[in-house]
């Protein structure tokens, strides 16, 4: 007995057809799972505790199997009615018009009581009433870092910690002309009780600098490290 050997062209077409069928089945399965997930919904909310800044809520929701389950979560009480986001997270691109000067970004360092340590984050803040995310980003960047942005663009609406809180933020990309007169001597305008240090870092060395700060005992914001990791992977 000998196996029947098919011409390479026929065998290749059959392999391709098999792969296409398997990919189609996988896609159909994924769509079915997504449809089930999209049927989930919160049906009741019970406020457990509330402060001027946040409230703790026990939510009852329907899972993909149709069962009712409970989830404890935290949400802000400061979101303006009608806004899709609570605040903005700002990725600033510090650019010079001088040749050969690398693009930099600015990070902020502050003590965060929930983490009980100094954290390294992107500049961020809440969106005020009647304020667009782009406007909030320009304002918060100036307040926290002293830099004046020349333009702002919302990259995406994101969740910050979906397993714990209902906090939604607009990730905003802000262009900063470091050669502009208003950025020659940048001064912070912090609120009472805010203690923020800033550091500018070149994009090429962002990940290595964050690793250094981690080794010094700081805790880096997940979104910031994700950006740095993505830049590193893009060069591999």
């Amino acid at each position: 007995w000998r196996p029947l050997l098919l011409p390479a062209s026929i065998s290749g077409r059959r392999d391709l057809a098999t792969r296409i069928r398997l990919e189609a089945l996988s896609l159909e399965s994924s769509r079915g799972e997504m449809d089930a997930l999209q049927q989930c919904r919160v049906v009741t909310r019970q406020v457990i505790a509330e402060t001027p800044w946040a409230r703790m809520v026990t939510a009852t929701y329907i899972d993909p199997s149709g069962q009712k389950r409970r989830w404890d979560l935290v949400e802000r009480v400061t979101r303006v009615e009608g806004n899709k986001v609570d605040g903005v997270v700002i990725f600033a691109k510090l650019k010079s018009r001088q040749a050969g000067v690398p693009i930099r970004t600015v990070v902020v360092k502050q003590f965060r009581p929930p983490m009980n340590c100094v954290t390294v984050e992107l500049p961020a803040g809440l969106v005020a009433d009647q304020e667009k995310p782009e406007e909030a980003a320009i304002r918060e960047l100036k307040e926290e870092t002293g830099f004046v942005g020349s333009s702002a663009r919302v990259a995406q609406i994101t969740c910050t910690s979906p397993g714990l809180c209902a906090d939604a933020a607009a990730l905003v990309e802000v262009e900063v002309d470091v050669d502009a007169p208003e950025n020659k001597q940048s001064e912070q305008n912090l609120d009472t009780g805010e203690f923020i240090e800033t550091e500018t870092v070149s994009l090429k060395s962002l990940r290595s600098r964050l690793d250094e700060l981690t080794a010094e005992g700081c805790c880096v914001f997940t979104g910031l490290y994700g950006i740095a990791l993505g830049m590193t992977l893009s060069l591999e």
Side-chain angles (χ1 to χ4, degrees), residues 174-205:
V174 177
E175 301 273 346
V176 176
D177 179 1
V178 296
D179 298 321
E182 59 269 25
N183 288 318
K184 288 299 182 180
Q185 291 184 333
S186 55
E187 294 184 3
Q188 294 170 297
N189 183 24
L190 301 176
D191 293 332
T192 302
E194 280 190 311
F195 304 91
I196 296 176
E197 295 181 3
T198 65
E199 180 176 340
T200 63
V201 189
S202 72
L203 298 186
K204 289 183 179 180
S205 61

PDB file of all heavy atoms in Angstrom, residues 174-205:
ATOM      1  N   VAL A 174      -1.592  65.744  22.609  1.00  0.00           N
ATOM      2  CA  VAL A 174      -1.406  67.198  22.578  1.00  0.00           C
ATOM      3  C   VAL A 174      -0.035  67.522  21.998  1.00  0.00           C
ATOM      4  O   VAL A 174       0.980  66.981  22.450  1.00  0.00           O
ATOM      5  CB  VAL A 174      -1.550  67.817  23.983  1.00  0.00           C
ATOM      6  CG1 VAL A 174      -1.274  69.321  23.933  1.00  0.00           C
ATOM      7  CG2 VAL A 174      -2.941  67.561  24.543  1.00  0.00           C
ATOM      8  N   GLU A 175      -0.018  68.402  21.019  1.00  0.00           N
ATOM      9  CA  GLU A 175       1.235  68.874  20.434  1.00  0.00           C
ATOM     10  C   GLU A 175       1.721  70.097  21.212  1.00  0.00           C
ATOM     11  O   GLU A 175       0.947  71.004  21.515  1.00  0.00           O
ATOM     12  CB  GLU A 175       1.026  69.248  18.966  1.00  0.00           C
ATOM     13  CG  GLU A 175       0.526  68.117  18.074  1.00  0.00           C
ATOM     14  CD  GLU A 175       1.673  67.293  17.523  1.00  0.00           C
ATOM     15  OE1 GLU A 175       2.835  67.749  17.616  1.00  0.00           O
ATOM     16  OE2 GLU A 175       1.407  66.191  17.002  1.00  0.00           O
ATOM     17  N   VAL A 176       3.022  70.109  21.532  1.00  0.00           N
ATOM     18  CA  VAL A 176       3.618  71.225  22.264  1.00  0.00           C
ATOM     19  C   VAL A 176       4.843  71.714  21.497  1.00  0.00           C
ATOM     20  O   VAL A 176       5.763  70.939  21.212  1.00  0.00           O
ATOM     21  CB  VAL A 176       4.033  70.814  23.690  1.00  0.00           C
ATOM     22  CG1 VAL A 176       4.734  71.972  24.398  1.00  0.00           C
ATOM     23  CG2 VAL A 176       2.817  70.356  24.485  1.00  0.00           C
ATOM     24  N   ASP A 177       4.842  73.008  21.166  1.00  0.00           N
ATOM     25  CA  ASP A 177       5.992  73.634  20.519  1.00  0.00           C
ATOM     26  C   ASP A 177       6.904  74.169  21.622  1.00  0.00           C
ATOM     27  O   ASP A 177       6.628  75.202  22.223  1.00  0.00           O
ATOM     28  CB  ASP A 177       5.520  74.768  19.610  1.00  0.00           C
ATOM     29  CG  ASP A 177       6.675  75.484  18.912  1.00  0.00           C
ATOM     30  OD1 ASP A 177       7.842  75.085  19.116  1.00  0.00           O
ATOM     31  OD2 ASP A 177       6.406  76.463  18.188  1.00  0.00           O
ATOM     32  N   VAL A 178       7.987  73.439  21.910  1.00  0.00           N
ATOM     33  CA  VAL A 178       8.853  73.837  23.016  1.00  0.00           C
ATOM     34  C   VAL A 178       9.640  75.105  22.716  1.00  0.00           C
ATOM     35  O   VAL A 178      10.223  75.709  23.632  1.00  0.00           O
ATOM     36  CB  VAL A 178       9.828  72.697  23.393  1.00  0.00           C
ATOM     37  CG1 VAL A 178       9.071  71.486  23.905  1.00  0.00           C
ATOM     38  CG2 VAL A 178      10.718  72.323  22.219  1.00  0.00           C
ATOM     39  N   ASP A 179       9.667  75.524  21.447  1.00  0.00           N
ATOM     40  CA  ASP A 179      10.380  76.748  21.087  1.00  0.00           C
ATOM     41  C   ASP A 179       9.494  77.987  21.166  1.00  0.00           C
ATOM     42  O   ASP A 179       9.989  79.107  21.018  1.00  0.00           O
ATOM     43  CB  ASP A 179      10.946  76.624  19.665  1.00  0.00           C
ATOM     44  CG  ASP A 179      11.958  75.488  19.547  1.00  0.00           C
ATOM     45  OD1 ASP A 179      12.741  75.311  20.489  1.00  0.00           O
ATOM     46  OD2 ASP A 179      11.938  74.782  18.519  1.00  0.00           O
ATOM     47  N   ALA A 180       8.197  77.796  21.402  1.00  0.00           N
ATOM     48  CA  ALA A 180       7.277  78.932  21.513  1.00  0.00           C
ATOM     49  C   ALA A 180       7.611  79.739  22.771  1.00  0.00           C
ATOM     50  O   ALA A 180       8.027  79.180  23.791  1.00  0.00           O
ATOM     51  CB  ALA A 180       5.844  78.446  21.557  1.00  0.00           C
ATOM     52  N   PRO A 181       7.419  81.046  22.729  1.00  0.00           N
ATOM     53  CA  PRO A 181       7.761  81.897  23.882  1.00  0.00           C
ATOM     54  C   PRO A 181       7.073  81.465  25.174  1.00  0.00           C
ATOM     55  O   PRO A 181       7.678  81.508  26.245  1.00  0.00           O
ATOM     56  CB  PRO A 181       7.285  83.285  23.434  1.00  0.00           C
ATOM     57  CG  PRO A 181       7.317  83.235  21.943  1.00  0.00           C
ATOM     58  CD  PRO A 181       6.955  81.830  21.574  1.00  0.00           C
ATOM     59  N   GLU A 182       5.807  81.013  25.069  1.00  0.00           N
ATOM     60  CA  GLU A 182       5.062  80.633  26.274  1.00  0.00           C
ATOM     61  C   GLU A 182       5.601  79.369  26.937  1.00  0.00           C
ATOM     62  O   GLU A 182       5.241  79.046  28.073  1.00  0.00           O
ATOM     63  CB  GLU A 182       3.579  80.450  25.952  1.00  0.00           C
ATOM     64  CG  GLU A 182       3.270  79.403  24.917  1.00  0.00           C
ATOM     65  CD  GLU A 182       3.213  79.942  23.501  1.00  0.00           C
ATOM     66  OE1 GLU A 182       3.866  80.985  23.246  1.00  0.00           O
ATOM     67  OE2 GLU A 182       2.538  79.334  22.656  1.00  0.00           O
ATOM     68  N   ASN A 183       6.468  78.625  26.210  1.00  0.00           N
ATOM     69  CA  ASN A 183       7.026  77.396  26.775  1.00  0.00           C
ATOM     70  C   ASN A 183       8.506  77.520  27.163  1.00  0.00           C
ATOM     71  O   ASN A 183       9.131  76.545  27.539  1.00  0.00           O
ATOM     72  CB  ASN A 183       6.854  76.236  25.786  1.00  0.00           C
ATOM     73  CG  ASN A 183       5.409  75.777  25.680  1.00  0.00           C
ATOM     74  OD1 ASN A 183       4.720  75.672  26.691  1.00  0.00           O
ATOM     75  ND2 ASN A 183       4.948  75.532  24.462  1.00  0.00           N
ATOM     76  N   LYS A 184       9.044  78.728  27.074  1.00  0.00           N
ATOM     77  CA  LYS A 184      10.436  78.944  27.445  1.00  0.00           C
ATOM     78  C   LYS A 184      10.634  78.827  28.957  1.00  0.00           C
ATOM     79  O   LYS A 184      11.630  78.292  29.431  1.00  0.00           O
ATOM     80  CB  LYS A 184      10.905  80.315  26.954  1.00  0.00           C
ATOM     81  CG  LYS A 184      11.091  80.406  25.439  1.00  0.00           C
ATOM     82  CD  LYS A 184      12.140  79.417  24.960  1.00  0.00           C
ATOM     83  CE  LYS A 184      12.379  79.541  23.451  1.00  0.00           C
ATOM     84  NZ  LYS A 184      13.401  78.566  22.983  1.00  0.00           N
ATOM     85  N   GLN A 185       9.673  79.348  29.717  1.00  0.00           N
ATOM     86  CA  GLN A 185       9.724  79.247  31.169  1.00  0.00           C
ATOM     87  C   GLN A 185       8.363  78.756  31.665  1.00  0.00           C
ATOM     88  O   GLN A 185       7.515  79.554  32.067  1.00  0.00           O
ATOM     89  CB  GLN A 185      10.075  80.595  31.804  1.00  0.00           C
ATOM     90  CG  GLN A 185      11.504  81.045  31.538  1.00  0.00           C
ATOM     91  CD  GLN A 185      11.838  82.343  32.254  1.00  0.00           C
ATOM     92  OE1 GLN A 185      10.969  83.154  32.530  1.00  0.00           O
ATOM     93  NE2 GLN A 185      13.109  82.527  32.548  1.00  0.00           N
ATOM     94  N   SER A 186       8.164  77.456  31.592  1.00  0.00           N
ATOM     95  CA  SER A 186       6.871  76.872  31.956  1.00  0.00           C
ATOM     96  C   SER A 186       6.714  76.848  33.469  1.00  0.00           C
ATOM     97  O   SER A 186       7.637  76.501  34.200  1.00  0.00           O
ATOM     98  CB  SER A 186       6.744  75.453  31.390  1.00  0.00           C
ATOM     99  OG  SER A 186       7.837  74.662  31.816  1.00  0.00           O
ATOM    100  N   GLU A 187       5.534  77.249  33.953  1.00  0.00           N
ATOM    101  CA  GLU A 187       5.229  77.266  35.377  1.00  0.00           C
ATOM    102  C   GLU A 187       3.930  76.526  35.638  1.00  0.00           C
ATOM    103  O   GLU A 187       2.933  76.742  34.937  1.00  0.00           O
ATOM    104  CB  GLU A 187       5.126  78.703  35.894  1.00  0.00           C
ATOM    105  CG  GLU A 187       6.437  79.478  35.844  1.00  0.00           C
ATOM    106  CD  GLU A 187       6.292  80.854  36.460  1.00  0.00           C
ATOM    107  OE1 GLU A 187       5.191  81.155  36.971  1.00  0.00           O
ATOM    108  OE2 GLU A 187       7.270  81.628  36.423  1.00  0.00           O
ATOM    109  N   GLN A 188       3.945  75.661  36.647  1.00  0.00           N
ATOM    110  CA  GLN A 188       2.741  74.931  37.016  1.00  0.00           C
ATOM    111  C   GLN A 188       1.743  75.860  37.692  1.00  0.00           C
ATOM    112  O   GLN A 188       2.093  76.914  38.220  1.00  0.00           O
ATOM    113  CB  GLN A 188       3.089  73.783  37.972  1.00  0.00           C
ATOM    114  CG  GLN A 188       3.945  72.688  37.382  1.00  0.00           C
ATOM    115  CD  GLN A 188       4.435  71.733  38.450  1.00  0.00           C
ATOM    116  OE1 GLN A 188       5.174  72.120  39.346  1.00  0.00           O
ATOM    117  NE2 GLN A 188       4.026  70.466  38.353  1.00  0.00           N
ATOM    118  N   ASN A 189       0.489  75.450  37.674  1.00  0.00           N
ATOM    119  CA  ASN A 189      -0.578  76.174  38.378  1.00  0.00           C
ATOM    120  C   ASN A 189      -1.425  75.133  39.110  1.00  0.00           C
ATOM    121  O   ASN A 189      -2.560  74.853  38.748  1.00  0.00           O
ATOM    122  CB  ASN A 189      -1.416  76.982  37.393  1.00  0.00           C
ATOM    123  CG  ASN A 189      -2.484  77.812  38.091  1.00  0.00           C
ATOM    124  OD1 ASN A 189      -2.344  78.150  39.268  1.00  0.00           O
ATOM    125  ND2 ASN A 189      -3.554  78.127  37.380  1.00  0.00           N
ATOM    126  N   LEU A 190      -0.848  74.551  40.161  1.00  0.00           N
ATOM    127  CA  LEU A 190      -1.466  73.429  40.851  1.00  0.00           C
ATOM    128  C   LEU A 190      -2.542  73.879  41.831  1.00  0.00           C
ATOM    129  O   LEU A 190      -2.473  74.976  42.403  1.00  0.00           O
ATOM    130  CB  LEU A 190      -0.403  72.630  41.606  1.00  0.00           C
ATOM    131  CG  LEU A 190       0.730  72.042  40.757  1.00  0.00           C
ATOM    132  CD1 LEU A 190       1.760  71.370  41.651  1.00  0.00           C
ATOM    133  CD2 LEU A 190       0.181  71.059  39.726  1.00  0.00           C
ATOM    134  N   ASP A 191      -3.543  72.996  42.016  1.00  0.00           N
ATOM    135  CA  ASP A 191      -4.574  73.249  43.019  1.00  0.00           C
ATOM    136  C   ASP A 191      -3.993  73.042  44.418  1.00  0.00           C
ATOM    137  O   ASP A 191      -2.967  72.374  44.590  1.00  0.00           O
ATOM    138  CB  ASP A 191      -5.762  72.296  42.814  1.00  0.00           C
ATOM    139  CG  ASP A 191      -6.512  72.563  41.526  1.00  0.00           C
ATOM    140  OD1 ASP A 191      -6.507  73.722  41.065  1.00  0.00           O
ATOM    141  OD2 ASP A 191      -7.095  71.609  40.971  1.00  0.00           O
ATOM    142  N   THR A 192      -4.690  73.591  45.415  1.00  0.00           N
ATOM    143  CA  THR A 192      -4.282  73.381  46.790  1.00  0.00           C
ATOM    144  C   THR A 192      -4.297  71.887  47.119  1.00  0.00           C
ATOM    145  O   THR A 192      -5.262  71.189  46.832  1.00  0.00           O
ATOM    146  CB  THR A 192      -5.234  74.111  47.758  1.00  0.00           C
ATOM    147  OG1 THR A 192      -5.235  75.503  47.432  1.00  0.00           O
ATOM    148  CG2 THR A 192      -4.798  73.928  49.197  1.00  0.00           C
ATOM    149  N   GLY A 193      -3.205  71.411  47.684  1.00  0.00           N
ATOM    150  CA  GLY A 193      -3.118  69.996  48.022  1.00  0.00           C
ATOM    151  C   GLY A 193      -2.499  69.144  46.937  1.00  0.00           C
ATOM    152  O   GLY A 193      -2.295  67.933  47.141  1.00  0.00           O
ATOM    153  N   GLU A 194      -2.203  69.733  45.785  1.00  0.00           N
ATOM    154  CA  GLU A 194      -1.529  69.002  44.716  1.00  0.00           C
ATOM    155  C   GLU A 194      -0.023  69.206  44.824  1.00  0.00           C
ATOM    156  O   GLU A 194       0.448  70.345  44.953  1.00  0.00           O
ATOM    157  CB  GLU A 194      -2.003  69.461  43.336  1.00  0.00           C
ATOM    158  CG  GLU A 194      -3.323  68.876  42.883  1.00  0.00           C
ATOM    159  CD  GLU A 194      -3.616  69.180  41.430  1.00  0.00           C
ATOM    160  OE1 GLU A 194      -3.508  70.348  41.023  1.00  0.00           O
ATOM    161  OE2 GLU A 194      -3.979  68.243  40.694  1.00  0.00           O
ATOM    162  N   PHE A 195       0.723  68.117  44.740  1.00  0.00           N
ATOM    163  CA  PHE A 195       2.173  68.158  44.784  1.00  0.00           C
ATOM    164  C   PHE A 195       2.681  67.275  43.656  1.00  0.00           C
ATOM    165  O   PHE A 195       2.762  66.045  43.804  1.00  0.00           O
ATOM    166  CB  PHE A 195       2.686  67.683  46.147  1.00  0.00           C
ATOM    167  CG  PHE A 195       2.128  68.464  47.310  1.00  0.00           C
ATOM    168  CD1 PHE A 195       0.967  68.045  47.942  1.00  0.00           C
ATOM    169  CD2 PHE A 195       2.755  69.624  47.744  1.00  0.00           C
ATOM    170  CE1 PHE A 195       0.444  68.760  49.011  1.00  0.00           C
ATOM    171  CE2 PHE A 195       2.237  70.345  48.815  1.00  0.00           C
ATOM    172  CZ  PHE A 195       1.086  69.924  49.447  1.00  0.00           C
ATOM    173  N   ILE A 196       3.001  67.887  42.540  1.00  0.00           N
ATOM    174  CA  ILE A 196       3.343  67.141  41.326  1.00  0.00           C
ATOM    175  C   ILE A 196       4.716  67.561  40.819  1.00  0.00           C
ATOM    176  O   ILE A 196       4.994  68.754  40.664  1.00  0.00           O
ATOM    177  CB  ILE A 196       2.287  67.371  40.222  1.00  0.00           C
ATOM    178  CG1 ILE A 196       0.927  66.818  40.655  1.00  0.00           C
ATOM    179  CG2 ILE A 196       2.726  66.736  38.909  1.00  0.00           C
ATOM    180  CD1 ILE A 196      -0.190  67.097  39.672  1.00  0.00           C
ATOM    181  N   GLU A 197       5.561  66.581  40.580  1.00  0.00           N
ATOM    182  CA  GLU A 197       6.842  66.815  39.932  1.00  0.00           C
ATOM    183  C   GLU A 197       6.739  66.348  38.481  1.00  0.00           C
ATOM    184  O   GLU A 197       6.036  65.384  38.176  1.00  0.00           O
ATOM    185  CB  GLU A 197       7.963  66.046  40.646  1.00  0.00           C
ATOM    186  CG  GLU A 197       8.221  66.507  42.062  1.00  0.00           C
ATOM    187  CD  GLU A 197       9.344  65.729  42.718  1.00  0.00           C
ATOM    188  OE1 GLU A 197       9.959  64.869  42.035  1.00  0.00           O
ATOM    189  OE2 GLU A 197       9.608  65.973  43.911  1.00  0.00           O
ATOM    190  N   THR A 198       7.443  67.028  37.594  1.00  0.00           N
ATOM    191  CA  THR A 198       7.400  66.672  36.177  1.00  0.00           C
ATOM    192  C   THR A 198       8.787  66.261  35.690  1.00  0.00           C
ATOM    193  O   THR A 198       9.807  66.649  36.264  1.00  0.00           O
ATOM    194  CB  THR A 198       6.897  67.848  35.321  1.00  0.00           C
ATOM    195  OG1 THR A 198       7.849  68.929  35.390  1.00  0.00           O
ATOM    196  CG2 THR A 198       5.549  68.330  35.817  1.00  0.00           C
ATOM    197  N   GLU A 199       8.785  65.478  34.632  1.00  0.00           N
ATOM    198  CA  GLU A 199      10.045  65.075  33.998  1.00  0.00           C
ATOM    199  C   GLU A 199       9.786  64.876  32.519  1.00  0.00           C
ATOM    200  O   GLU A 199       8.809  64.219  32.134  1.00  0.00           O
ATOM    201  CB  GLU A 199      10.582  63.788  34.626  1.00  0.00           C
ATOM    202  CG  GLU A 199      11.892  63.320  34.013  1.00  0.00           C
ATOM    203  CD  GLU A 199      12.467  62.091  34.696  1.00  0.00           C
ATOM    204  OE1 GLU A 199      12.089  61.820  35.858  1.00  0.00           O
ATOM    205  OE2 GLU A 199      13.293  61.387  34.062  1.00  0.00           O
ATOM    206  N   THR A 200      10.632  65.443  31.690  1.00  0.00           N
ATOM    207  CA  THR A 200      10.518  65.215  30.255  1.00  0.00           C
ATOM    208  C   THR A 200      11.471  64.096  29.861  1.00  0.00           C
ATOM    209  O   THR A 200      12.595  64.003  30.365  1.00  0.00           O
ATOM    210  CB  THR A 200      10.840  66.485  29.441  1.00  0.00           C
ATOM    211  OG1 THR A 200      12.198  66.871  29.662  1.00  0.00           O
ATOM    212  CG2 THR A 200       9.910  67.620  29.848  1.00  0.00           C
ATOM    213  N   VAL A 201      10.998  63.231  28.963  1.00  0.00           N
ATOM    214  CA  VAL A 201      11.755  62.048  28.556  1.00  0.00           C
ATOM    215  C   VAL A 201      11.646  61.903  27.051  1.00  0.00           C
ATOM    216  O   VAL A 201      10.561  62.082  26.472  1.00  0.00           O
ATOM    217  CB  VAL A 201      11.205  60.767  29.231  1.00  0.00           C
ATOM    218  CG1 VAL A 201      12.136  59.590  28.977  1.00  0.00           C
ATOM    219  CG2 VAL A 201      10.983  60.970  30.719  1.00  0.00           C
ATOM    220  N   SER A 202      12.744  61.565  26.397  1.00  0.00           N
ATOM    221  CA  SER A 202      12.685  61.306  24.961  1.00  0.00           C
ATOM    222  C   SER A 202      11.896  60.027  24.719  1.00  0.00           C
ATOM    223  O   SER A 202      11.950  59.088  25.520  1.00  0.00           O
ATOM    224  CB  SER A 202      14.086  61.195  24.366  1.00  0.00           C
ATOM    225  OG  SER A 202      14.696  59.990  24.763  1.00  0.00           O
ATOM    226  N   LEU A 203      11.161  59.978  23.632  1.00  0.00           N
ATOM    227  CA  LEU A 203      10.341  58.804  23.350  1.00  0.00           C
ATOM    228  C   LEU A 203      11.197  57.552  23.199  1.00  0.00           C
ATOM    229  O   LEU A 203      10.779  56.456  23.589  1.00  0.00           O
ATOM    230  CB  LEU A 203       9.512  59.036  22.085  1.00  0.00           C
ATOM    231  CG  LEU A 203       8.498  60.188  22.136  1.00  0.00           C
ATOM    232  CD1 LEU A 203       7.644  60.199  20.871  1.00  0.00           C
ATOM    233  CD2 LEU A 203       7.617  60.082  23.368  1.00  0.00           C
ATOM    234  N   LYS A 204      12.401  57.701  22.661  1.00  0.00           N
ATOM    235  CA  LYS A 204      13.262  56.541  22.443  1.00  0.00           C
ATOM    236  C   LYS A 204      13.723  55.915  23.761  1.00  0.00           C
ATOM    237  O   LYS A 204      13.972  54.708  23.828  1.00  0.00           O
ATOM    238  CB  LYS A 204      14.473  56.939  21.602  1.00  0.00           C
ATOM    239  CG  LYS A 204      14.136  57.241  20.148  1.00  0.00           C
ATOM    240  CD  LYS A 204      15.394  57.545  19.357  1.00  0.00           C
ATOM    241  CE  LYS A 204      15.075  57.815  17.886  1.00  0.00           C
ATOM    242  NZ  LYS A 204      16.307  58.112  17.103  1.00  0.00           N
ATOM    243  N   SER A 205      13.859  56.721  24.797  1.00  0.00           N
ATOM    244  CA  SER A 205      14.354  56.198  26.071  1.00  0.00           C
ATOM    245  C   SER A 205      13.249  56.094  27.119  1.00  0.00           C
ATOM    246  O   SER A 205      13.534  55.894  28.307  1.00  0.00           O
ATOM    247  CB  SER A 205      15.477  57.092  26.607  1.00  0.00           C
ATOM    248  OG  SER A 205      15.003  58.417  26.836  1.00  0.00           O
TER     249      SER A 205
END
